[in-house]
Amino acid sequence: MRTNFDFSPLFRSSIGFDRLFDALESASRIETIDNWPPYDIIKTGDDDYRITMAVAGFSEPELTITQEQNMLFVSGQKDASEEVRYLYRGIAGRSFQRRFELADHVKVTGARLDNGLLSIDLKREIPEEMKPRQIEISTGMALPKMETKQIDAEKQAA
């Protein structure tokens, strides 16, 4: 069952949130069938996050992590040159690509592969100029006067 959201009432009182509304609409359209490899998203601090993916059977050279603008791509490609004759294959070795949409100012700070788990650390770093700041209100001092031009009546009549 598909539900469409009407964001038009929010457009009346918000400015600059177009990307957020587009992300919400696109998220409602995406129907993911493939849920492999499994992953967790963990909040490790106020501005710190970790994505942990189960990538058993993949080595470091077979994994690629790429950040482009606000998107994080994690992909795995097994080396096809390996000639192995399996009697039973229970560990999936198929190629994959996972995509994560990141909020503004979220950066990848590190990644490690340990015991078949790929951990990607993320941190939101808000620039100083975008952090809230208090504006000081001055008292007792008059604002500088603006010069006004006065037109002489004699010059205007001429």
Side-chain angles (χ1 to χ4, degrees), residues 34-66:
D34 188 20
N35 57 359
W36 192 82
Y39 63 92
D40 294 332
I41 300 175
I42 305 161
K43 185 168 183 165
T44 58
D46 287 339
D47 291 324
D48 300 310
Y49 304 90
R50 178 175 296 135
I51 299 171
T52 304
M53 299 180 73
V55 292
F58 284 87
S59 62
E60 283 183 45
E62 297 170 331
L63 297 169
T64 305
I65 303 170
T66 308

PDB file of all heavy atoms in Angstrom, residues 34-66:
ATOM      1  N   ASP A  34      16.193  -6.195  -2.105  1.00  0.00           N
ATOM      2  CA  ASP A  34      17.464  -6.768  -1.680  1.00  0.00           C
ATOM      3  C   ASP A  34      17.838  -6.207  -0.318  1.00  0.00           C
ATOM      4  O   ASP A  34      17.940  -4.995  -0.139  1.00  0.00           O
ATOM      5  CB  ASP A  34      18.543  -6.435  -2.710  1.00  0.00           C
ATOM      6  CG  ASP A  34      19.833  -7.164  -2.413  1.00  0.00           C
ATOM      7  OD1 ASP A  34      19.794  -8.171  -1.683  1.00  0.00           O
ATOM      8  OD2 ASP A  34      20.867  -6.724  -2.929  1.00  0.00           O
ATOM      9  N   ASN A  35      18.020  -7.073   0.645  1.00  0.00           N
ATOM     10  CA  ASN A  35      18.412  -6.617   1.971  1.00  0.00           C
ATOM     11  C   ASN A  35      19.774  -7.198   2.355  1.00  0.00           C
ATOM     12  O   ASN A  35      20.024  -7.475   3.513  1.00  0.00           O
ATOM     13  CB  ASN A  35      17.353  -6.997   3.002  1.00  0.00           C
ATOM     14  CG  ASN A  35      17.086  -8.483   3.045  1.00  0.00           C
ATOM     15  OD1 ASN A  35      17.684  -9.247   2.288  1.00  0.00           O
ATOM     16  ND2 ASN A  35      16.198  -8.901   3.914  1.00  0.00           N
ATOM     17  N   TRP A  36      20.616  -7.397   1.356  1.00  0.00           N
ATOM     18  CA  TRP A  36      21.925  -7.964   1.607  1.00  0.00           C
ATOM     19  C   TRP A  36      23.005  -6.982   1.207  1.00  0.00           C
ATOM     20  O   TRP A  36      22.863  -6.334   0.168  1.00  0.00           O
ATOM     21  CB  TRP A  36      22.109  -9.268   0.809  1.00  0.00           C
ATOM     22  CG  TRP A  36      23.304 -10.016   1.243  1.00  0.00           C
ATOM     23  CD1 TRP A  36      23.390 -10.849   2.306  1.00  0.00           C
ATOM     24  CD2 TRP A  36      24.593  -9.959   0.666  1.00  0.00           C
ATOM     25  NE1 TRP A  36      24.665 -11.325   2.417  1.00  0.00           N
ATOM     26  CE2 TRP A  36      25.435 -10.789   1.408  1.00  0.00           C
ATOM     27  CE3 TRP A  36      25.138  -9.270  -0.415  1.00  0.00           C
ATOM     28  CZ2 TRP A  36      26.763 -10.963   1.129  1.00  0.00           C
ATOM     29  CZ3 TRP A  36      26.465  -9.450  -0.707  1.00  0.00           C
ATOM     30  CH2 TRP A  36      27.273 -10.294   0.062  1.00  0.00           C
ATOM     31  N   PRO A  37      24.040  -6.788   1.896  1.00  0.00           N
ATOM     32  CA  PRO A  37      24.369  -7.376   3.185  1.00  0.00           C
ATOM     33  C   PRO A  37      23.645  -6.648   4.322  1.00  0.00           C
ATOM     34  O   PRO A  37      23.328  -5.466   4.196  1.00  0.00           O
ATOM     35  CB  PRO A  37      25.878  -7.176   3.286  1.00  0.00           C
ATOM     36  CG  PRO A  37      26.152  -5.953   2.473  1.00  0.00           C
ATOM     37  CD  PRO A  37      25.132  -5.960   1.371  1.00  0.00           C
ATOM     38  N   PRO A  38      23.391  -7.346   5.403  1.00  0.00           N
ATOM     39  CA  PRO A  38      22.714  -6.690   6.534  1.00  0.00           C
ATOM     40  C   PRO A  38      23.625  -5.638   7.163  1.00  0.00           C
ATOM     41  O   PRO A  38      24.848  -5.740   7.106  1.00  0.00           O
ATOM     42  CB  PRO A  38      22.439  -7.840   7.503  1.00  0.00           C
ATOM     43  CG  PRO A  38      23.376  -8.921   7.106  1.00  0.00           C
ATOM     44  CD  PRO A  38      23.671  -8.743   5.650  1.00  0.00           C
ATOM     45  N   TYR A  39      23.008  -4.627   7.754  1.00  0.00           N
ATOM     46  CA  TYR A  39      23.789  -3.553   8.363  1.00  0.00           C
ATOM     47  C   TYR A  39      23.044  -2.976   9.558  1.00  0.00           C
ATOM     48  O   TYR A  39      21.833  -3.144   9.701  1.00  0.00           O
ATOM     49  CB  TYR A  39      24.085  -2.438   7.339  1.00  0.00           C
ATOM     50  CG  TYR A  39      22.856  -1.735   6.819  1.00  0.00           C
ATOM     51  CD1 TYR A  39      22.381  -0.582   7.448  1.00  0.00           C
ATOM     52  CD2 TYR A  39      22.176  -2.220   5.719  1.00  0.00           C
ATOM     53  CE1 TYR A  39      21.249   0.059   6.969  1.00  0.00           C
ATOM     54  CE2 TYR A  39      21.057  -1.581   5.239  1.00  0.00           C
ATOM     55  CZ  TYR A  39      20.602  -0.444   5.868  1.00  0.00           C
ATOM     56  OH  TYR A  39      19.478   0.197   5.398  1.00  0.00           O
ATOM     57  N   ASP A  40      23.787  -2.293  10.411  1.00  0.00           N
ATOM     58  CA  ASP A  40      23.250  -1.559  11.556  1.00  0.00           C
ATOM     59  C   ASP A  40      23.724  -0.120  11.442  1.00  0.00           C
ATOM     60  O   ASP A  40      24.833   0.140  10.974  1.00  0.00           O
ATOM     61  CB  ASP A  40      23.772  -2.120  12.888  1.00  0.00           C
ATOM     62  CG  ASP A  40      23.283  -3.523  13.187  1.00  0.00           C
ATOM     63  OD1 ASP A  40      22.185  -3.880  12.708  1.00  0.00           O
ATOM     64  OD2 ASP A  40      23.994  -4.262  13.892  1.00  0.00           O
ATOM     65  N   ILE A  41      22.894   0.798  11.909  1.00  0.00           N
ATOM     66  CA  ILE A  41      23.301   2.200  12.029  1.00  0.00           C
ATOM     67  C   ILE A  41      23.205   2.539  13.512  1.00  0.00           C
ATOM     68  O   ILE A  41      22.142   2.403  14.115  1.00  0.00           O
ATOM     69  CB  ILE A  41      22.414   3.134  11.188  1.00  0.00           C
ATOM     70  CG1 ILE A  41      22.501   2.742   9.707  1.00  0.00           C
ATOM     71  CG2 ILE A  41      22.830   4.589  11.399  1.00  0.00           C
ATOM     72  CD1 ILE A  41      21.571   3.523   8.809  1.00  0.00           C
ATOM     73  N   ILE A  42      24.322   2.963  14.078  1.00  0.00           N
ATOM     74  CA  ILE A  42      24.417   3.190  15.515  1.00  0.00           C
ATOM     75  C   ILE A  42      24.783   4.646  15.769  1.00  0.00           C
ATOM     76  O   ILE A  42      25.650   5.198  15.100  1.00  0.00           O
ATOM     77  CB  ILE A  42      25.513   2.283  16.123  1.00  0.00           C
ATOM     78  CG1 ILE A  42      25.256   0.817  15.770  1.00  0.00           C
ATOM     79  CG2 ILE A  42      25.618   2.474  17.626  1.00  0.00           C
ATOM     80  CD1 ILE A  42      26.471  -0.060  15.915  1.00  0.00           C
ATOM     81  N   LYS A  43      24.126   5.261  16.745  1.00  0.00           N
ATOM     82  CA  LYS A  43      24.496   6.612  17.174  1.00  0.00           C
ATOM     83  C   LYS A  43      25.440   6.453  18.357  1.00  0.00           C
ATOM     84  O   LYS A  43      25.040   5.992  19.419  1.00  0.00           O
ATOM     85  CB  LYS A  43      23.260   7.418  17.550  1.00  0.00           C
ATOM     86  CG  LYS A  43      23.579   8.848  17.869  1.00  0.00           C
ATOM     87  CD  LYS A  43      22.345   9.702  17.968  1.00  0.00           C
ATOM     88  CE  LYS A  43      22.790  11.134  18.212  1.00  0.00           C
ATOM     89  NZ  LYS A  43      21.727  12.071  17.991  1.00  0.00           N
ATOM     90  N   THR A  44      26.707   6.816  18.165  1.00  0.00           N
ATOM     91  CA  THR A  44      27.716   6.602  19.194  1.00  0.00           C
ATOM     92  C   THR A  44      27.975   7.839  20.046  1.00  0.00           C
ATOM     93  O   THR A  44      28.674   7.755  21.041  1.00  0.00           O
ATOM     94  CB  THR A  44      29.035   6.139  18.563  1.00  0.00           C
ATOM     95  OG1 THR A  44      29.477   7.121  17.626  1.00  0.00           O
ATOM     96  CG2 THR A  44      28.867   4.796  17.857  1.00  0.00           C
ATOM     97  N   GLY A  45      27.444   8.990  19.654  1.00  0.00           N
ATOM     98  CA  GLY A  45      27.624  10.236  20.396  1.00  0.00           C
ATOM     99  C   GLY A  45      26.630  11.257  19.871  1.00  0.00           C
ATOM    100  O   GLY A  45      25.790  10.948  19.024  1.00  0.00           O
ATOM    101  N   ASP A  46      26.715  12.483  20.381  1.00  0.00           N
ATOM    102  CA  ASP A  46      25.791  13.521  19.936  1.00  0.00           C
ATOM    103  C   ASP A  46      25.886  13.759  18.433  1.00  0.00           C
ATOM    104  O   ASP A  46      24.870  13.938  17.772  1.00  0.00           O
ATOM    105  CB  ASP A  46      26.056  14.830  20.681  1.00  0.00           C
ATOM    106  CG  ASP A  46      25.590  14.770  22.133  1.00  0.00           C
ATOM    107  OD1 ASP A  46      24.726  13.918  22.441  1.00  0.00           O
ATOM    108  OD2 ASP A  46      26.104  15.564  22.944  1.00  0.00           O
ATOM    109  N   ASP A  47      27.098  13.774  17.894  1.00  0.00           N
ATOM    110  CA  ASP A  47      27.308  14.018  16.466  1.00  0.00           C
ATOM    111  C   ASP A  47      28.099  12.899  15.802  1.00  0.00           C
ATOM    112  O   ASP A  47      28.699  13.104  14.749  1.00  0.00           O
ATOM    113  CB  ASP A  47      28.035  15.357  16.260  1.00  0.00           C
ATOM    114  CG  ASP A  47      27.154  16.539  16.622  1.00  0.00           C
ATOM    115  OD1 ASP A  47      25.944  16.469  16.372  1.00  0.00           O
ATOM    116  OD2 ASP A  47      27.689  17.531  17.154  1.00  0.00           O
ATOM    117  N   ASP A  48      28.124  11.722  16.415  1.00  0.00           N
ATOM    118  CA  ASP A  48      28.909  10.596  15.896  1.00  0.00           C
ATOM    119  C   ASP A  48      28.001   9.411  15.598  1.00  0.00           C
ATOM    120  O   ASP A  48      27.086   9.101  16.371  1.00  0.00           O
ATOM    121  CB  ASP A  48      29.966  10.171  16.918  1.00  0.00           C
ATOM    122  CG  ASP A  48      30.935  11.289  17.241  1.00  0.00           C
ATOM    123  OD1 ASP A  48      31.459  11.892  16.291  1.00  0.00           O
ATOM    124  OD2 ASP A  48      31.158  11.557  18.434  1.00  0.00           O
ATOM    125  N   TYR A  49      28.284   8.759  14.461  1.00  0.00           N
ATOM    126  CA  TYR A  49      27.479   7.619  14.022  1.00  0.00           C
ATOM    127  C   TYR A  49      28.412   6.530  13.514  1.00  0.00           C
ATOM    128  O   TYR A  49      29.562   6.788  13.166  1.00  0.00           O
ATOM    129  CB  TYR A  49      26.534   8.032  12.882  1.00  0.00           C
ATOM    130  CG  TYR A  49      25.645   9.190  13.251  1.00  0.00           C
ATOM    131  CD1 TYR A  49      26.045  10.496  13.017  1.00  0.00           C
ATOM    132  CD2 TYR A  49      24.404   8.972  13.836  1.00  0.00           C
ATOM    133  CE1 TYR A  49      25.235  11.559  13.364  1.00  0.00           C
ATOM    134  CE2 TYR A  49      23.589  10.036  14.184  1.00  0.00           C
ATOM    135  CZ  TYR A  49      24.009  11.330  13.950  1.00  0.00           C
ATOM    136  OH  TYR A  49      23.206  12.380  14.295  1.00  0.00           O
ATOM    137  N   ARG A  50      27.887   5.302  13.451  1.00  0.00           N
ATOM    138  CA  ARG A  50      28.655   4.193  12.899  1.00  0.00           C
ATOM    139  C   ARG A  50      27.706   3.301  12.105  1.00  0.00           C
ATOM    140  O   ARG A  50      26.625   2.955  12.567  1.00  0.00           O
ATOM    141  CB  ARG A  50      29.311   3.380  14.000  1.00  0.00           C
ATOM    142  CG  ARG A  50      30.098   2.179  13.452  1.00  0.00           C
ATOM    143  CD  ARG A  50      30.854   1.434  14.525  1.00  0.00           C
ATOM    144  NE  ARG A  50      31.876   2.321  15.083  1.00  0.00           N
ATOM    145  CZ  ARG A  50      32.100   2.451  16.388  1.00  0.00           C
ATOM    146  NH1 ARG A  50      31.408   1.756  17.254  1.00  0.00           N
ATOM    147  NH2 ARG A  50      33.035   3.274  16.815  1.00  0.00           N
ATOM    148  N   ILE A  51      28.147   2.942  10.904  1.00  0.00           N
ATOM    149  CA  ILE A  51      27.442   1.955  10.087  1.00  0.00           C
ATOM    150  C   ILE A  51      28.270   0.686  10.160  1.00  0.00           C
ATOM    151  O   ILE A  51      29.475   0.715   9.885  1.00  0.00           O
ATOM    152  CB  ILE A  51      27.306   2.414   8.625  1.00  0.00           C
ATOM    153  CG1 ILE A  51      26.504   3.709   8.537  1.00  0.00           C
ATOM    154  CG2 ILE A  51      26.661   1.318   7.784  1.00  0.00           C
ATOM    155  CD1 ILE A  51      26.500   4.337   7.152  1.00  0.00           C
ATOM    156  N   THR A  52      27.650  -0.417  10.560  1.00  0.00           N
ATOM    157  CA  THR A  52      28.335  -1.705  10.634  1.00  0.00           C
ATOM    158  C   THR A  52      27.646  -2.656   9.665  1.00  0.00           C
ATOM    159  O   THR A  52      26.441  -2.883   9.768  1.00  0.00           O
ATOM    160  CB  THR A  52      28.291  -2.275  12.063  1.00  0.00           C
ATOM    161  OG1 THR A  52      28.856  -1.310  12.955  1.00  0.00           O
ATOM    162  CG2 THR A  52      29.082  -3.561  12.159  1.00  0.00           C
ATOM    163  N   MET A  53      28.405  -3.182   8.720  1.00  0.00           N
ATOM    164  CA  MET A  53      27.875  -4.089   7.701  1.00  0.00           C
ATOM    165  C   MET A  53      28.527  -5.460   7.836  1.00  0.00           C
ATOM    166  O   MET A  53      29.734  -5.555   8.038  1.00  0.00           O
ATOM    167  CB  MET A  53      28.154  -3.543   6.298  1.00  0.00           C
ATOM    168  CG  MET A  53      27.532  -2.208   6.028  1.00  0.00           C
ATOM    169  SD  MET A  53      27.897  -1.602   4.373  1.00  0.00           S
ATOM    170  CE  MET A  53      26.869  -2.673   3.422  1.00  0.00           C
ATOM    171  N   ALA A  54      27.711  -6.509   7.699  1.00  0.00           N
ATOM    172  CA  ALA A  54      28.219  -7.880   7.727  1.00  0.00           C
ATOM    173  C   ALA A  54      28.658  -8.256   6.316  1.00  0.00           C
ATOM    174  O   ALA A  54      27.827  -8.461   5.438  1.00  0.00           O
ATOM    175  CB  ALA A  54      27.136  -8.828   8.229  1.00  0.00           C
ATOM    176  N   VAL A  55      29.964  -8.298   6.092  1.00  0.00           N
ATOM    177  CA  VAL A  55      30.518  -8.577   4.767  1.00  0.00           C
ATOM    178  C   VAL A  55      31.442  -9.788   4.824  1.00  0.00           C
ATOM    179  O   VAL A  55      32.565  -9.754   4.306  1.00  0.00           O
ATOM    180  CB  VAL A  55      31.237  -7.337   4.182  1.00  0.00           C
ATOM    181  CG1 VAL A  55      30.257  -6.237   3.862  1.00  0.00           C
ATOM    182  CG2 VAL A  55      32.318  -6.838   5.128  1.00  0.00           C
ATOM    183  N   ALA A  56      30.951 -10.868   5.418  1.00  0.00           N
ATOM    184  CA  ALA A  56      31.758 -12.080   5.550  1.00  0.00           C
ATOM    185  C   ALA A  56      32.193 -12.563   4.176  1.00  0.00           C
ATOM    186  O   ALA A  56      31.414 -12.579   3.229  1.00  0.00           O
ATOM    187  CB  ALA A  56      30.951 -13.168   6.253  1.00  0.00           C
ATOM    188  N   GLY A  57      33.451 -12.942   4.064  1.00  0.00           N
ATOM    189  CA  GLY A  57      33.979 -13.464   2.807  1.00  0.00           C
ATOM    190  C   GLY A  57      34.629 -12.421   1.932  1.00  0.00           C
ATOM    191  O   GLY A  57      35.269 -12.752   0.941  1.00  0.00           O
ATOM    192  N   PHE A  58      34.491 -11.125   2.265  1.00  0.00           N
ATOM    193  CA  PHE A  58      35.105 -10.053   1.481  1.00  0.00           C
ATOM    194  C   PHE A  58      36.374  -9.589   2.185  1.00  0.00           C
ATOM    195  O   PHE A  58      36.420  -9.471   3.406  1.00  0.00           O
ATOM    196  CB  PHE A  58      34.154  -8.861   1.317  1.00  0.00           C
ATOM    197  CG  PHE A  58      33.057  -9.086   0.326  1.00  0.00           C
ATOM    198  CD1 PHE A  58      31.867  -9.687   0.717  1.00  0.00           C
ATOM    199  CD2 PHE A  58      33.206  -8.713  -0.997  1.00  0.00           C
ATOM    200  CE1 PHE A  58      30.851  -9.906  -0.194  1.00  0.00           C
ATOM    201  CE2 PHE A  58      32.198  -8.927  -1.919  1.00  0.00           C
ATOM    202  CZ  PHE A  58      31.020  -9.530  -1.514  1.00  0.00           C
ATOM    203  N   SER A  59      37.401  -9.320   1.396  1.00  0.00           N
ATOM    204  CA  SER A  59      38.638  -8.768   1.945  1.00  0.00           C
ATOM    205  C   SER A  59      38.672  -7.271   1.656  1.00  0.00           C
ATOM    206  O   SER A  59      37.860  -6.746   0.888  1.00  0.00           O
ATOM    207  CB  SER A  59      39.848  -9.469   1.323  1.00  0.00           C
ATOM    208  OG  SER A  59      39.875  -9.239  -0.068  1.00  0.00           O
ATOM    209  N   GLU A  60      39.639  -6.571   2.262  1.00  0.00           N
ATOM    210  CA  GLU A  60      39.733  -5.116   2.094  1.00  0.00           C
ATOM    211  C   GLU A  60      39.825  -4.675   0.640  1.00  0.00           C
ATOM    212  O   GLU A  60      39.155  -3.727   0.238  1.00  0.00           O
ATOM    213  CB  GLU A  60      40.920  -4.567   2.890  1.00  0.00           C
ATOM    214  CG  GLU A  60      40.656  -4.474   4.366  1.00  0.00           C
ATOM    215  CD  GLU A  60      41.826  -3.852   5.109  1.00  0.00           C
ATOM    216  OE1 GLU A  60      42.365  -2.829   4.632  1.00  0.00           O
ATOM    217  OE2 GLU A  60      42.195  -4.395   6.156  1.00  0.00           O
ATOM    218  N   PRO A  61      40.651  -5.330  -0.216  1.00  0.00           N
ATOM    219  CA  PRO A  61      40.730  -4.869  -1.612  1.00  0.00           C
ATOM    220  C   PRO A  61      39.428  -5.067  -2.396  1.00  0.00           C
ATOM    221  O   PRO A  61      39.235  -4.433  -3.421  1.00  0.00           O
ATOM    222  CB  PRO A  61      41.848  -5.723  -2.217  1.00  0.00           C
ATOM    223  CG  PRO A  61      42.582  -6.314  -1.078  1.00  0.00           C
ATOM    224  CD  PRO A  61      41.646  -6.359   0.071  1.00  0.00           C
ATOM    225  N   GLU A  62      38.546  -5.917  -1.920  1.00  0.00           N
ATOM    226  CA  GLU A  62      37.294  -6.187  -2.628  1.00  0.00           C
ATOM    227  C   GLU A  62      36.171  -5.241  -2.218  1.00  0.00           C
ATOM    228  O   GLU A  62      35.089  -5.281  -2.782  1.00  0.00           O
ATOM    229  CB  GLU A  62      36.853  -7.634  -2.371  1.00  0.00           C
ATOM    230  CG  GLU A  62      37.840  -8.642  -2.900  1.00  0.00           C
ATOM    231  CD  GLU A  62      37.550 -10.053  -2.446  1.00  0.00           C
ATOM    232  OE1 GLU A  62      36.986 -10.238  -1.350  1.00  0.00           O
ATOM    233  OE2 GLU A  62      37.887 -10.990  -3.200  1.00  0.00           O
ATOM    234  N   LEU A  63      36.428  -4.370  -1.236  1.00  0.00           N
ATOM    235  CA  LEU A  63      35.427  -3.420  -0.748  1.00  0.00           C
ATOM    236  C   LEU A  63      35.815  -2.008  -1.141  1.00  0.00           C
ATOM    237  O   LEU A  63      36.994  -1.646  -1.131  1.00  0.00           O
ATOM    238  CB  LEU A  63      35.299  -3.516   0.769  1.00  0.00           C
ATOM    239  CG  LEU A  63      34.804  -4.843   1.312  1.00  0.00           C
ATOM    240  CD1 LEU A  63      34.983  -4.898   2.820  1.00  0.00           C
ATOM    241  CD2 LEU A  63      33.345  -5.058   0.934  1.00  0.00           C
ATOM    242  N   THR A  64      34.804  -1.201  -1.482  1.00  0.00           N
ATOM    243  CA  THR A  64      35.029   0.191  -1.852  1.00  0.00           C
ATOM    244  C   THR A  64      34.042   1.068  -1.105  1.00  0.00           C
ATOM    245  O   THR A  64      32.840   0.783  -1.098  1.00  0.00           O
ATOM    246  CB  THR A  64      34.833   0.397  -3.366  1.00  0.00           C
ATOM    247  OG1 THR A  64      35.679  -0.512  -4.062  1.00  0.00           O
ATOM    248  CG2 THR A  64      35.163   1.815  -3.778  1.00  0.00           C
ATOM    249  N   ILE A  65      34.542   2.145  -0.497  1.00  0.00           N
ATOM    250  CA  ILE A  65      33.701   3.127   0.196  1.00  0.00           C
ATOM    251  C   ILE A  65      33.943   4.466  -0.467  1.00  0.00           C
ATOM    252  O   ILE A  65      35.081   4.926  -0.556  1.00  0.00           O
ATOM    253  CB  ILE A  65      34.052   3.203   1.697  1.00  0.00           C
ATOM    254  CG1 ILE A  65      33.904   1.835   2.345  1.00  0.00           C
ATOM    255  CG2 ILE A  65      33.166   4.231   2.396  1.00  0.00           C
ATOM    256  CD1 ILE A  65      34.461   1.760   3.755  1.00  0.00           C
ATOM    257  N   THR A  66      32.874   5.100  -0.940  1.00  0.00           N
ATOM    258  CA  THR A  66      32.991   6.379  -1.641  1.00  0.00           C
ATOM    259  C   THR A  66      31.947   7.347  -1.099  1.00  0.00           C
ATOM    260  O   THR A  66      30.780   6.988  -0.954  1.00  0.00           O
ATOM    261  CB  THR A  66      32.744   6.195  -3.152  1.00  0.00           C
ATOM    262  OG1 THR A  66      33.595   5.157  -3.638  1.00  0.00           O
ATOM    263  CG2 THR A  66      33.021   7.476  -3.911  1.00  0.00           C
TER     264      THR A  66
END
